[in-house]
Amino acid sequence: MAVHARRDGDEIVYSVADTGIGIPANQLDQIFGEFRQVDASISREFGGSGLGLSITKTFVELHGGHIWVESEPGRGSTFHFAIPLRAAEPSEVA
């Protein structure tokens, strides 16, 4: 697994890459939904409810950002999320 962060214009882009089983292209648009998992056998083997990516998407969007994934079956996936720089700064105290 690899984790990276970089500045891209007015946002910070975070990336998390793995070398897992990957996600078929026809399922990429579904994985951020609640209770969604690509392979039910994985949840039986490792546990999980299919809420993690949905919750992550909600938090990212609450900060004004967006999330996406790139994946190739058999080679792994890279999940990216971008947060505007202003949202990444500590809150100002009045």
Side-chain angles (χ1 to χ4, degrees):
M1 182 178 301
V3 179
H4 300 281
R6 64 181 168 78
R7 183 174 180 165
D8 185 10
D10 63 347
E11 56 188 18
I12 303 291
V13 178
Y14 301 88
S15 301
V16 180
D18 67 34
T19 56
I21 63 170
I23 304 165
N26 66 342
Q27 295 181 349
L28 288 175
D29 61 339
Q30 302 171 22
I31 63 170
F32 293 103
E34 292 179 353
F35 306 109
R36 299 289 185 163
Q37 294 182 338
V38 173
D39 184 346
S41 66
I42 291 174
S43 66
R44 284 192 296 273
E45 184 176 347
F46 298 106
S49 61
L51 288 172
L53 289 174
S54 175
I55 292 168
T56 301
K57 180 181 179 190
T58 298
F59 281 131
V60 167
E61 290 176 348
L62 284 171
H63 287 5
H66 55 280
I67 188 169
W68 68 100
V69 61
E70 298 170 339
S71 188
E72 184 178 336
R75 298 191 52 97
S77 304
T78 303
F79 290 84
H80 308 275
F81 67 95
I83 304 289
L85 282 170
R86 183 69 181 144
E89 295 174 8
S91 298
E92 296 178 4
V93 178

